[in-house]
Amino acid sequence: MKKLIASTVGTVLALAGLGVATAAPASAATQEIQISCSTVYVSFQEYPAGTTVSIVIDGTTVEDATIEDGWFSSWYEVDWSTPHEWSVVVDAPDGADGDFSDGGTTTPCDTDPYRYADASATCGEISANVSSYPEGSRVLVSVDGETVADDPVDGNYWNVWPLDWTVAHTWSVTLDASDDALDLSWEGVTEPCDVDPNLRVEVNAYCDQLSVNVSGYPAGTAVVVTVAGETVGRGAPTSGATSGVRGRSTTAPRTTGR
């Protein structure tokens, strides 16, 4: 598709150079319906003003809207464990193309599609992220043979544990679920960092705005922001804290670094 578009653009440019005018084809109304065990997603593009959209799920009208700016997009969550009847009706104004209708029944999922669990470690920290786990589950974290966390999980859970970045560590994370079939575990050995991972410098430039955020540096560190040879900002973070400097930028693309 990209090659086809590029070819078309090249042709138009060549014709323009010869003084030949071409007319673009009129846009046609398009529809997109995506159904899963847990969601109903609809999207309508290039519709004339006054088009109405009606969406019904399990006999209840969840959407009764009028399109005024050419497009409509929305999605709806449903219980993933049971089937649901749905229908969509689009009625374009008299004389306009685009009338559309569709419907059906969702198929239940075998397992919770939102259930997720992961844990990882870097030279400076261990992190664990759990979602949609049953109440009564627990996260246990061990570093160098010592338990540093034994936390309850009620649905969703996220946490980070800092490590001494100058040395290696043996670590493990165990997700002890109330349903034994959902138990998971992760383990490994970290490598020391070459530099302190808490030191961060983030520079963002957009249009005429420039921001600089510095964190983890010792108190008294000088931050000077210069654009086109002119100093536009100065700052000094307190120990371990984040310091922000803002100014106007006339150049510079967006960049982020450490």
Side-chain angles (χ1 to χ4, degrees):
M1 177 60 75
K2 290 184 177 179
K3 291 184 178 179
L4 178 59
I5 293 174
S7 174
T8 303
V9 171
T11 302
V12 172
L13 292 176
L15 290 174
L18 296 174
V20 179
T22 60
S27 298
T30 60
Q31 311 85 24
E32 181 181 3
I33 308 290
Q34 296 182 9
I35 306 298
S36 74
C37 63
S38 60
T39 60
V40 174
Y41 171 79
V42 299
S43 177
F44 306 108
Q45 306 289 335
E46 305 296 340
Y47 267 83
T51 298
T52 60
V53 177
S54 177
I55 302 173
V56 177
I57 299 177
D58 292 336
T60 299
T61 300
V62 297
E63 195 72 59
D64 190 5
T66 300
I67 297 176
E68 298 295 348
D69 53 4
W71 68 276
F72 174 90
S73 179
S74 190
W75 67 280
Y76 312 89
E77 285 189 338
V78 296
D79 181 356
W80 59 269
S81 64
T82 61
H84 301 273
E85 294 184 358
W86 62 274
S87 66
V88 177
V89 176
V90 180
D91 185 11
D94 291 342
D97 294 331
D99 285 355
F100 173 82
S101 64
D102 197 3
T105 303
T106 65
T107 301
C109 290
D110 294 329
T111 59
D112 186 346
Y114 301 108
R115 183 169 295 143
Y116 172 84
D118 187 41
S120 61
T122 66
C123 59
E125 67 182 26
I126 300 172
S127 64
N129 185 12
V130 179
S131 64
S132 200
Y133 255 68
E135 183 179 358
S137 303
R138 304 191 71 83
V139 170
L140 298 91
V141 182
S142 172
V143 178
D144 297 331
E146 178 183 353
T147 299
V148 297
D150 183 355
D151 299 338
V153 175
D154 185 3
N156 300 327
Y157 175 89
W158 179 84
N159 209 344
V160 174
W161 299 268
L163 297 173
D164 179 356
W165 58 272
T166 63
V167 298
H169 298 279
T170 300
W171 65 276
S172 69
V173 176
T174 300
L175 177 52
D176 183 10
S178 54
D179 179 353
D180 291 344
L182 301 178
D183 287 353
L184 292 170
S185 63
W186 302 262
E187 61 182 18
V189 178
T190 65
E191 295 290 338
C193 293
D194 295 329
V195 296
D196 187 347
N198 296 310
L199 302 180
R200 286 184 170 86
V201 178
E202 297 179 346
V203 181
N204 296 288
Y206 179 73
C207 294
D208 64 343
Q209 298 295 317
L210 176 67
S211 66
V212 179
N213 293 299
V214 178
S215 62
Y217 281 80
T221 300
V223 180
V224 180
V225 181
T226 303
V227 176
E230 178 184 355
T231 297
V232 296
R234 295 178 180 272
T238 57
S239 180
T242 298
S243 176
V245 179
R246 295 183 178 272
R248 291 191 175 276
S249 171
T250 56
T251 57
R254 180 183 178 121
T255 58
T256 300
R258 282 189 174 183

